[in-house]
Amino acid sequence: MPSKYRLFDRSKLTLLPLAERNSLLETDIVQEPVFREKVHPSFIKIAEDLAAAKAADRARILMLGAHVLRSGMQKYLFSLMEEGLINCIAVNGACAIHDFELAIHGSTTECVSTYISNGQFGLWQETGLLNDIVSDGVKTGMGFGEAVGKYIVEETLPHSDISLFAKAYELNIPITVHVGIGYDIVHEHPNCDGGAIGKASYADFLIFAAQLESLEGGVVMNFGSAIMAPEIYLKALSMVRNAARVSEAVDNKSICHFATLVCDLHDLPEEVNSEAPKNSAQYYFRPWKTMLVRTVADGGRSYYVRGFHADTIPELWTAVRRLYSNQQQAG
């Protein structure tokens, strides 16, 4: 039986080419990696944790919001990926959109106030290709991130060299996309198949959960994702701890000793190893209570650094490069 409620008729929509959009960002936002003079002490500790996790072949997980890409941090991340210091990346749907638009058109980001006034916001032809890419990928068993990365690489899009999805696909690093239906502009499009998006994104959630199975002795980093990152991390961690509990008596499996890092703009106190009181607005900042307190309470370590992505990611990269340089000199 069909729904008793009326659905919006998507055939009424008009999509325009990206060439007619005034985009706010172009490929020149992508920065070349440059050493920073000062580095937050927490990044020095995380660099050491990443190196140890790599040596032990444990999880090195990066979770991020779309503003990381809009800040031009791609090449810093590429360097960390190529060094083997990131072996899984989790993103939201907006990351896929910005990455794909930059790869295919060399520009991204529209002025919401301009285009919402005439109802053109989000309705751009080329961006909607993401829906077809994901639908085709699902038919062959791929998740969202793998399908997008594969397409960008195999179709040799004009700016694939700055695509996080393409780099991840080439390096065989899973990049998982965690979508909320209706959150992203491609969900406005007539070719959007909610079932395919749901199936692809759920496959990515299971891929992400499988990566957490090697989190003991590993690292999870979150740059700028206040909802997606802590929520999928919390559920996936519960799943893998539940499964590990069955075999714990046999081979002493546990997922307790690992490090978490959160980088955001919230003004948190110096001490983040205990929760904010429930009568404080900070209590509802999920990365704090979830990633910095509750999930590391049984033996983990957590760090918080306040700052813009254009500062925190270069500082992390600098800390890693200096650590490697010191190790080479000592060796």
Side-chain angles (χ1 to χ4, degrees):
M1 292 283 293
S3 172
K4 63 180 180 180
Y5 302 113
R6 183 173 65 88
L7 274 63
F8 179 82
D9 181 3
R10 296 182 296 178
S11 68
K12 297 190 255 183
L13 295 170
T14 300
L15 276 64
L16 298 178
L18 282 173
E20 295 187 26
R21 185 179 81 184
N22 292 321
S23 297
L24 302 179
L25 301 173
E26 298 185 350
T27 56
D28 58 4
I29 62 168
V30 179
Q31 300 180 24
E32 295 294 332
V34 176
F35 282 92
R36 294 299 177 96
E37 291 185 11
K38 294 182 180 180
V39 171
H40 193 284
S42 293
F43 288 130
I44 297 173
K45 295 176 181 177
I46 283 292
E48 294 170 350
D49 289 335
L50 285 170
K54 177 187 175 183
D57 193 24
R58 312 312 293 166
R60 288 91 67 198
I61 295 173
L62 172 68
M63 311 181 78
L64 53 89
H67 277 274
V68 173
L69 301 185
R70 291 173 56 171
S71 299
M73 296 294 100
Q74 286 86 333
K75 291 188 178 180
Y76 286 98
L77 300 183
F78 293 173
S79 177
L80 295 173
M81 294 160 68
E82 290 165 348
E83 291 281 2
L85 296 174
I86 295 171
N87 66 356
C88 176
I89 302 171
V91 303
N92 57 20
C95 281
I97 289 167
H98 289 306
D99 189 86
F100 184 71
E101 285 189 344
L102 283 169
I104 197 170
H105 193 254
S107 66
T108 190
T109 307
E110 56 193 305
C111 179
V112 177
S113 59
T114 296
Y115 290 108
I116 194 60
S117 295
N118 63 0
Q120 198 58 52
F121 171 69
L123 295 164
W124 310 103
Q125 294 170 0
E126 294 90 337
T127 313
L129 283 173
L130 276 172
N131 289 326
D132 296 331
I133 292 166
V134 172
S135 294
D136 290 342
V138 163
K139 295 173 185 176
T140 59
M142 285 187 286
F144 197 124
E146 183 181 3
V148 174
K150 182 175 185 289
Y151 182 90
I152 294 172
V153 170
E154 294 187 351
E155 297 298 319
T156 59
L157 296 189
H159 305 283
S160 61
D161 61 310
I162 60 169
S163 166
L164 183 67
F165 281 72
K167 177 64 72 173
Y169 184 77
E170 291 171 338
L171 295 176
N172 296 315
I173 294 173
I175 181 166
T176 58
V177 183
H178 305 274
V179 171
I181 298 295
Y183 282 17
D184 303 317
I185 59 173
V186 291
H187 304 161
E188 303 173 43
H189 291 221
N191 68 335
C192 179
D193 182 342
I197 288 176
K199 188 171 184 178
S201 193
Y202 190 67
D204 277 3
F205 174 66
L206 297 181
I207 291 169
F208 176 79
Q211 294 296 311
L212 288 192
E213 289 184 302
S214 62
L215 183 56
E216 178 72 7
V219 179
V220 178
M221 302 178 289
N222 173 13
F223 286 81
S225 177
I227 305 297
M228 177 277 294
E231 290 303 319
I232 68 159
Y233 159 76
L234 178 66
K235 279 71 171 185
L237 181 61
S238 184
M239 291 164 66
V240 298
R241 281 178 169 171
N242 182 286
R245 192 176 61 203
V246 176
S247 58
E248 186 172 1
V250 178
D251 55 10
N252 199 31
K253 282 189 177 181
S254 65
I255 306 172
C256 298
H257 308 95
F258 56 88
T260 62
L261 167 71
V262 173
C263 296
D264 213 304
L265 290 174
H266 283 258
D267 190 13
L268 302 189
E270 192 80 17
E271 173 59 53
V272 293
N273 298 121
S274 58
E275 295 182 22
K278 289 187 178 181
N279 62 355
S280 166
Q282 292 176 327
Y283 175 81
Y284 300 96
F285 179 52
R286 289 172 173 83
W288 183 359
K289 62 184 177 183
T290 298
M291 304 192 74
L292 301 177
V293 182
R294 294 177 179 177
T295 57
V296 295
D298 300 311
R301 303 172 306 286
S302 62
Y303 308 97
Y304 179 75
V305 179
R306 183 179 184 276
F308 290 97
H309 303 314
D311 293 319
T312 56
I313 287 179
E315 285 189 35
L316 171 64
W317 178 84
T318 298
V320 166
R321 299 308 310 158
R322 285 178 179 167
L323 175 65
Y324 276 6
S325 177
N326 292 339
Q327 289 177 341
Q328 290 173 352
Q329 290 176 3

Coordinates of all heavy atoms in Angstrom, one line a residue, residues 143-215:
G143 N 30.4 0.2 -0.8 CA 29.9 1.3 0.1 C 30.0 2.6 -0.6 O 30.5 2.8 -1.7
F144 N 29.5 3.6 0.1 CA 29.5 5.0 -0.4 C 30.8 5.5 -0.8 O 31.1 6.0 -1.9 CB 28.8 5.9 0.6 CG 28.3 7.2 0.1 CD1 26.9 7.6 0.3 CD2 29.1 8.1 -0.5 CE1 26.4 8.8 -0.1 CE2 28.6 9.4 -0.9 CZ 27.3 9.7 -0.8
G145 N 31.7 5.5 0.2 CA 33.1 6.1 0.0 C 33.9 5.4 -1.1 O 34.5 6.1 -1.9
E146 N 33.9 4.1 -1.1 CA 34.6 3.4 -2.1 C 34.1 3.7 -3.5 O 34.9 3.9 -4.5 CB 34.5 1.9 -1.9 CG 35.3 1.0 -2.8 CD 35.3 -0.4 -2.6 OE1 34.5 -0.9 -1.7 OE2 35.9 -1.2 -3.3
A147 N 32.8 3.7 -3.7 CA 32.2 4.0 -5.0 C 32.6 5.4 -5.5 O 32.9 5.5 -6.7 CB 30.6 3.9 -4.9
V148 N 32.6 6.4 -4.6 CA 32.9 7.7 -5.0 C 34.4 7.8 -5.4 O 34.8 8.4 -6.4 CB 32.6 8.8 -4.0 CG1 33.1 10.2 -4.3 CG2 31.1 8.8 -3.7
G149 N 35.3 7.2 -4.5 CA 36.7 7.3 -4.8 C 37.0 6.6 -6.1 O 37.8 7.1 -6.9
K150 N 36.4 5.4 -6.3 CA 36.7 4.7 -7.6 C 36.3 5.5 -8.8 O 37.0 5.5 -9.8 CB 35.9 3.3 -7.5 CG 36.1 2.4 -8.7 CD 35.3 1.1 -8.5 CE 35.5 0.1 -9.6 NZ 34.9 0.5 -10.8
Y151 N 35.1 6.1 -8.7 CA 34.7 6.9 -9.9 C 35.6 8.1 -10.2 O 36.0 8.3 -11.3 CB 33.3 7.5 -9.6 CG 32.7 8.3 -10.7 CD1 31.9 7.6 -11.7 CD2 32.9 9.6 -10.9 CE1 31.4 8.4 -12.8 CE2 32.4 10.4 -11.9 CZ 31.6 9.7 -12.9 OH 31.1 10.4 -13.9
I152 N 36.0 8.8 -9.2 CA 36.9 9.9 -9.4 C 38.2 9.5 -10.0 O 38.8 10.1 -10.9 CB 37.2 10.7 -8.0 CG1 35.9 11.3 -7.5 CG2 38.3 11.8 -8.2 CD1 36.0 11.9 -6.2
V153 N 38.8 8.4 -9.5 CA 40.0 7.8 -10.1 C 39.9 7.3 -11.5 O 40.6 7.7 -12.4 CB 40.6 6.7 -9.2 CG1 41.8 6.0 -9.8 CG2 41.0 7.3 -7.8
E154 N 38.9 6.5 -11.7 CA 38.7 5.8 -13.0 C 38.3 6.7 -14.1 O 38.6 6.5 -15.3 CB 37.8 4.6 -12.9 CG 38.4 3.5 -12.0 CD 37.6 2.2 -12.0 OE1 36.5 2.2 -12.5 OE2 38.1 1.2 -11.4
E155 N 37.5 7.8 -13.7 CA 37.0 8.7 -14.7 C 38.0 9.9 -14.9 O 37.8 10.8 -15.7 CB 35.7 9.3 -14.3 CG 34.6 8.3 -14.3 CD 34.3 7.6 -15.7 OE1 34.3 8.4 -16.7 OE2 34.1 6.4 -15.7
T156 N 39.1 9.8 -14.2 CA 40.2 10.8 -14.2 C 39.6 12.2 -14.3 O 39.8 13.0 -15.2 CB 41.2 10.6 -15.4 OG1 40.4 10.6 -16.6 CG2 41.9 9.3 -15.3
L157 N 38.9 12.6 -13.2 CA 38.2 13.9 -13.1 C 39.3 15.0 -13.1 O 40.4 14.7 -12.7 CB 37.4 14.0 -11.9 CG 36.1 13.0 -11.9 CD1 35.2 13.4 -10.7 CD2 35.4 13.1 -13.2
P158 N 39.0 16.2 -13.6 CA 40.0 17.2 -13.8 C 40.9 17.5 -12.6 O 42.1 17.8 -12.8 CB 39.2 18.4 -14.3 CG 38.0 17.8 -14.8 CD 37.7 16.6 -14.0
H159 N 40.3 17.4 -11.4 CA 41.1 17.8 -10.2 C 41.2 16.6 -9.2 O 41.1 16.9 -8.0 CB 40.5 19.0 -9.6 CG 40.4 20.2 -10.5 ND1 41.4 21.0 -10.9 CD2 39.3 20.7 -11.2 CE1 41.0 21.9 -11.7 NE2 39.7 21.7 -12.0
S160 N 41.3 15.4 -9.8 CA 41.4 14.3 -8.9 C 42.6 14.3 -8.0 O 42.6 13.6 -6.9 CB 41.4 13.0 -9.7 OG 42.5 12.9 -10.6
D161 N 43.6 15.1 -8.3 CA 44.8 15.1 -7.6 C 44.6 15.7 -6.2 O 45.5 15.6 -5.3 CB 45.9 15.9 -8.3 CG 45.5 17.3 -8.6 OD1 44.4 17.5 -9.1 OD2 46.4 18.2 -8.3
I162 N 43.5 16.5 -6.0 CA 43.3 17.1 -4.7 C 42.1 16.4 -4.0 O 41.5 17.0 -3.0 CB 43.1 18.6 -4.7 CG1 41.9 18.9 -5.7 CG2 44.3 19.3 -5.2 CD1 41.5 20.4 -5.6
S163 N 41.7 15.3 -4.5 CA 40.5 14.6 -3.9 C 40.9 13.6 -2.8 O 41.7 12.7 -3.0 CB 39.8 13.8 -5.0 OG 38.9 12.9 -4.4
L164 N 40.3 13.8 -1.6 CA 40.6 12.9 -0.5 C 40.0 11.5 -0.8 O 40.7 10.5 -0.4 CB 39.9 13.5 0.8 CG 40.1 12.7 2.1 CD1 41.6 12.7 2.5 CD2 39.2 13.2 3.2
F165 N 38.9 11.5 -1.5 CA 38.3 10.2 -1.8 C 39.2 9.4 -2.8 O 39.4 8.2 -2.7 CB 36.9 10.4 -2.4 CG 35.9 10.6 -1.3 CD1 35.8 11.8 -0.7 CD2 34.9 9.7 -1.0 CE1 34.9 12.1 0.3 CE2 34.0 9.9 0.0 CZ 33.9 11.1 0.6
A166 N 39.7 10.1 -3.8 CA 40.6 9.5 -4.8 C 41.9 9.0 -4.1 O 42.3 7.8 -4.4 CB 41.0 10.5 -5.9
K167 N 42.5 9.8 -3.2 CA 43.7 9.4 -2.5 C 43.5 8.2 -1.7 O 44.3 7.2 -1.7 CB 44.2 10.6 -1.7 CG 45.5 10.2 -0.9 CD 46.7 9.9 -1.8 CE 47.2 11.1 -2.5 NZ 48.5 10.9 -3.2
A168 N 42.4 8.2 -1.0 CA 42.0 7.0 -0.1 C 41.9 5.7 -1.0 O 42.4 4.7 -0.6 CB 40.8 7.3 0.7
Y169 N 41.2 5.9 -2.1 CA 41.0 4.7 -3.0 C 42.3 4.2 -3.5 O 42.5 3.0 -3.5 CB 40.0 5.1 -4.1 CG 39.7 4.0 -5.0 CD1 38.7 3.0 -4.7 CD2 40.3 3.8 -6.3 CE1 38.4 2.0 -5.5 CE2 40.0 2.7 -7.1 CZ 39.0 1.8 -6.7 OH 38.7 0.7 -7.5
E170 N 43.2 5.1 -3.9 CA 44.5 4.7 -4.5 C 45.3 4.0 -3.4 O 46.1 3.1 -3.7 CB 45.2 5.9 -5.0 CG 44.5 6.4 -6.3 CD 45.1 7.8 -6.7 OE1 45.7 8.5 -5.9 OE2 45.0 8.1 -7.9
L171 N 45.2 4.4 -2.2 CA 46.0 3.9 -1.1 C 45.4 2.7 -0.4 O 45.9 2.2 0.6 CB 46.4 5.0 -0.1 CG 47.2 6.1 -0.6 CD1 47.4 7.2 0.5 CD2 48.6 5.6 -1.0
N172 N 44.2 2.3 -0.8 CA 43.4 1.2 -0.2 C 43.1 1.5 1.2 O 43.1 0.6 2.1 CB 44.2 -0.1 -0.3 CG 44.3 -0.6 -1.8 OD1 43.4 -0.5 -2.5 ND2 45.5 -1.0 -2.1
I173 N 42.8 2.8 1.5 CA 42.3 3.2 2.8 C 40.8 3.4 2.8 O 40.3 4.2 2.0 CB 43.0 4.5 3.2 CG1 44.5 4.3 3.4 CG2 42.4 5.1 4.5 CD1 45.3 5.6 3.6
P174 N 40.1 2.7 3.6 CA 38.6 2.9 3.6 C 38.2 4.3 4.0 O 38.7 4.8 5.1 CB 38.1 1.8 4.6 CG 39.3 1.4 5.4 CD 40.5 1.6 4.6
I175 N 37.4 4.9 3.2 CA 36.8 6.2 3.6 C 35.3 6.0 3.7 O 34.7 5.6 2.7 CB 37.2 7.3 2.6 CG1 36.6 8.7 3.1 CG2 36.9 7.0 1.2 CD1 37.2 9.9 2.4
T176 N 34.8 6.1 4.9 CA 33.4 5.8 5.1 C 32.5 7.0 5.2 O 32.9 8.0 5.9 CB 33.2 4.9 6.3 OG1 33.8 5.6 7.5 CG2 34.0 3.6 6.2
V177 N 31.4 7.0 4.6 CA 30.5 8.2 4.5 C 29.2 7.9 5.3 O 28.5 6.9 5.0 CB 30.1 8.5 3.1 CG1 29.3 9.8 3.0 CG2 31.4 8.7 2.2
H178 N 28.9 8.7 6.3 CA 27.8 8.5 7.2 C 26.8 9.5 7.0 O 26.9 10.7 7.4 CB 28.4 8.4 8.6 CG 29.5 7.4 8.8 ND1 29.3 6.1 9.0 CD2 30.8 7.5 8.6 CE1 30.4 5.4 9.0 NE2 31.4 6.3 8.8
V179 N 25.7 9.1 6.3 CA 24.7 10.1 5.8 C 23.5 10.1 6.6 O 23.0 9.1 7.0 CB 24.4 9.6 4.3 CG1 23.2 10.5 3.8 CG2 25.6 9.8 3.4
G180 N 22.9 11.3 6.8 CA 21.6 11.4 7.3 C 20.7 11.9 6.2 O 20.9 12.9 5.5
I181 N 19.7 11.1 5.9 CA 18.8 11.3 4.7 C 18.1 12.7 4.9 O 17.5 13.0 5.9 CB 17.8 10.2 4.5 CG1 18.4 8.9 4.2 CG2 16.8 10.6 3.4 CD1 19.2 8.8 3.0
G182 N 18.3 13.5 3.9 CA 17.7 14.9 3.9 C 18.7 15.9 4.4 O 18.5 17.1 4.3
Y183 N 19.9 15.5 4.8 CA 20.9 16.4 5.3 C 21.7 17.1 4.1 O 22.2 18.2 4.2 CB 22.0 15.7 6.1 CG 21.6 15.4 7.5 CD1 20.3 15.4 8.0 CD2 22.6 15.0 8.5 CE1 20.0 15.1 9.3 CE2 22.3 14.8 9.8 CZ 21.0 14.8 10.2 OH 20.7 14.5 11.5
D184 N 21.8 16.4 3.0 CA 22.7 16.8 1.9 C 22.0 17.3 0.7 O 20.9 16.8 0.4 CB 23.7 15.7 1.6 CG 24.5 15.2 2.8 OD1 24.9 16.1 3.5 OD2 24.6 14.0 3.0
I185 N 22.6 18.2 -0.1 CA 21.9 18.8 -1.2 C 21.5 17.8 -2.3 O 20.5 17.9 -3.0 CB 22.7 19.9 -1.8 CG1 24.1 19.5 -2.3 CG2 22.9 21.1 -0.8 CD1 24.9 20.5 -3.1
V186 N 22.3 16.7 -2.4 CA 22.0 15.7 -3.4 C 20.7 15.0 -3.1 O 20.1 14.3 -4.0 CB 23.1 14.7 -3.7 CG1 24.3 15.4 -4.3 CG2 23.5 14.0 -2.3
H187 N 20.2 15.0 -1.9 CA 18.9 14.4 -1.6 C 17.7 15.2 -2.1 O 16.6 14.7 -2.2 CB 18.8 14.3 0.0 CG 19.9 13.5 0.6 ND1 20.2 13.6 1.9 CD2 20.8 12.7 0.1 CE1 21.2 12.9 2.2 NE2 21.7 12.3 1.1
E188 N 18.0 16.4 -2.6 CA 16.9 17.2 -3.2 C 16.7 16.7 -4.7 O 15.6 17.0 -5.2 CB 17.4 18.7 -3.3 CG 17.7 19.3 -2.0 CD 18.3 20.7 -2.2 OE1 17.7 21.5 -3.1 OE2 19.3 21.1 -1.6
H189 N 17.6 16.0 -5.3 CA 17.6 15.8 -6.7 C 16.6 14.6 -7.1 O 16.4 13.7 -6.3 CB 19.0 15.4 -7.2 CG 20.0 16.5 -7.1 ND1 20.9 16.8 -8.1 CD2 20.2 17.5 -6.2 CE1 21.6 17.9 -7.8 NE2 21.2 18.3 -6.6
P190 N 16.1 14.7 -8.3 CA 15.1 13.7 -8.7 C 15.7 12.3 -8.8 O 15.0 11.3 -8.8 CB 14.7 14.2 -10.1 CG 14.9 15.7 -10.1 CD 16.1 15.9 -9.2
N191 N 17.0 12.2 -9.0 CA 17.7 10.9 -9.2 C 18.1 10.3 -7.9 O 18.8 9.3 -7.9 CB 18.9 11.0 -10.2 CG 20.0 11.8 -9.6 OD1 19.8 12.6 -8.7 ND2 21.2 11.5 -10.1
C192 N 17.8 10.9 -6.7 CA 18.2 10.4 -5.4 C 17.4 9.1 -5.1 O 16.2 9.2 -5.0 CB 18.0 11.4 -4.4 SG 18.5 10.9 -2.7
D193 N 18.1 8.0 -4.8 CA 17.5 6.8 -4.4 C 17.8 6.6 -2.9 O 18.9 6.2 -2.6 CB 18.0 5.6 -5.3 CG 17.4 4.3 -4.9 OD1 16.8 4.2 -3.8 OD2 17.6 3.3 -5.7
G194 N 16.9 6.9 -2.1 CA 17.1 6.8 -0.7 C 17.5 5.4 -0.2 O 18.3 5.3 0.7
G195 N 17.0 4.4 -0.9 CA 17.3 3.0 -0.5 C 18.8 2.7 -0.8 O 19.5 2.1 0.0
A196 N 19.3 3.2 -1.9 CA 20.7 3.0 -2.3 C 21.6 3.7 -1.4 O 22.6 3.2 -0.9 CB 20.9 3.4 -3.8
I197 N 21.2 5.0 -1.1 CA 22.1 5.8 -0.2 C 22.1 5.1 1.2 O 23.2 5.0 1.8 CB 21.6 7.2 -0.1 CG1 21.8 8.0 -1.4 CG2 22.2 7.9 1.1 CD1 21.3 9.4 -1.4
G198 N 21.0 4.7 1.7 CA 20.9 4.0 3.0 C 21.8 2.7 3.0 O 22.5 2.5 4.0
K199 N 21.7 1.9 2.0 CA 22.4 0.7 1.9 C 23.9 1.0 1.8 O 24.7 0.3 2.5 CB 22.0 -0.1 0.7 CG 22.6 -1.5 0.7 CD 21.9 -2.4 -0.4 CE 22.5 -3.8 -0.4 NZ 21.8 -4.6 -1.5
A200 N 24.3 2.0 1.0 CA 25.7 2.3 0.9 C 26.3 2.8 2.1 O 27.4 2.5 2.6 CB 25.9 3.3 -0.3
S201 N 25.6 3.7 2.8 CA 26.1 4.3 4.0 C 26.1 3.3 5.2 O 27.0 3.3 6.0 CB 25.2 5.5 4.4 OG 25.8 6.3 5.4
Y202 N 25.1 2.4 5.2 CA 25.2 1.3 6.2 C 26.3 0.4 6.0 O 27.0 -0.1 7.0 CB 23.9 0.6 6.3 CG 23.8 -0.3 7.5 CD1 23.8 0.3 8.8 CD2 23.9 -1.7 7.4 CE1 23.8 -0.5 9.9 CE2 23.9 -2.5 8.6 CZ 23.8 -1.9 9.8 OH 23.8 -2.7 11.0
A203 N 26.6 0.1 4.8 CA 27.8 -0.7 4.5 C 29.1 0.0 5.0 O 30.0 -0.7 5.6 CB 27.9 -1.0 3.0
D204 N 29.1 1.3 4.8 CA 30.3 2.0 5.3 C 30.3 2.0 6.9 O 31.4 2.0 7.5 CB 30.2 3.5 4.9 CG 30.8 3.6 3.5 OD1 31.2 2.6 2.8 OD2 30.8 4.8 3.0
F205 N 29.2 2.0 7.5 CA 29.2 1.9 9.0 C 29.8 0.6 9.4 O 30.5 0.5 10.4 CB 27.7 2.1 9.5 CG 27.6 1.9 11.0 CD1 28.2 2.7 11.9 CD2 26.9 0.8 11.5 CE1 28.1 2.5 13.3 CE2 26.8 0.6 12.9 CZ 27.4 1.4 13.7
L206 N 29.4 -0.5 8.7 CA 30.0 -1.8 9.1 C 31.5 -1.9 8.8 O 32.2 -2.5 9.5 CB 29.2 -2.9 8.4 CG 27.7 -3.0 8.7 CD1 27.1 -4.2 8.0 CD2 27.5 -3.2 10.2
I207 N 31.9 -1.2 7.7 CA 33.3 -1.1 7.4 C 34.0 -0.4 8.5 O 35.1 -0.8 9.0 CB 33.6 -0.4 6.1 CG1 33.1 -1.3 4.9 CG2 35.0 -0.1 5.9 CD1 33.0 -0.6 3.6
F208 N 33.4 0.7 9.0 CA 34.0 1.5 10.1 C 34.1 0.7 11.3 O 35.1 0.7 12.0 CB 33.2 2.8 10.3 CG 33.6 3.6 11.4 CD1 34.7 4.5 11.3 CD2 33.0 3.5 12.7 CE1 35.1 5.2 12.4 CE2 33.4 4.3 13.7 CZ 34.5 5.1 13.6
A209 N 33.0 0.0 11.7 CA 33.0 -0.9 12.9 C 34.1 -1.9 12.8 O 34.8 -2.2 13.8 CB 31.7 -1.5 13.0
A210 N 34.3 -2.5 11.6 CA 35.4 -3.5 11.5 C 36.8 -2.9 11.8 O 37.7 -3.6 12.3 CB 35.3 -4.1 10.1
Q211 N 37.0 -1.6 11.4 CA 38.2 -1.0 11.7 C 38.5 -0.8 13.2 O 39.6 -0.9 13.7 CB 38.3 0.4 11.0 CG 38.3 0.3 9.5 CD 39.6 -0.3 8.9 OE1 40.7 0.0 9.3 NE2 39.4 -1.3 8.0
L212 N 37.4 -0.6 13.9 CA 37.5 -0.4 15.4 C 37.9 -1.7 16.1 O 38.3 -1.7 17.2 CB 36.2 0.1 16.0 CG 35.8 1.6 15.7 CD1 34.7 2.0 16.6 CD2 37.0 2.5 15.9
E213 N 37.8 -2.8 15.4 CA 38.2 -4.1 16.0 C 39.7 -4.1 16.3 O 40.1 -4.9 17.2 CB 37.8 -5.3 15.1 CG 36.3 -5.5 15.1 CD 35.9 -6.7 14.3 OE1 36.3 -6.8 13.1 OE2 35.3 -7.6 14.8
S214 N 40.5 -3.3 15.7 CA 41.9 -3.2 16.0 C 42.2 -1.9 16.7 O 43.4 -1.4 16.6 CB 42.7 -3.3 14.7 OG 42.4 -2.2 13.8
L215 N 41.3 -1.4 17.5 CA 41.5 -0.1 18.2 C 42.4 -0.2 19.4 O 43.0 0.7 19.8 CB 40.2 0.5 18.5 CG 40.2 1.9 19.2 CD1 41.0 2.9 18.3 CD2 38.8 2.5 19.5

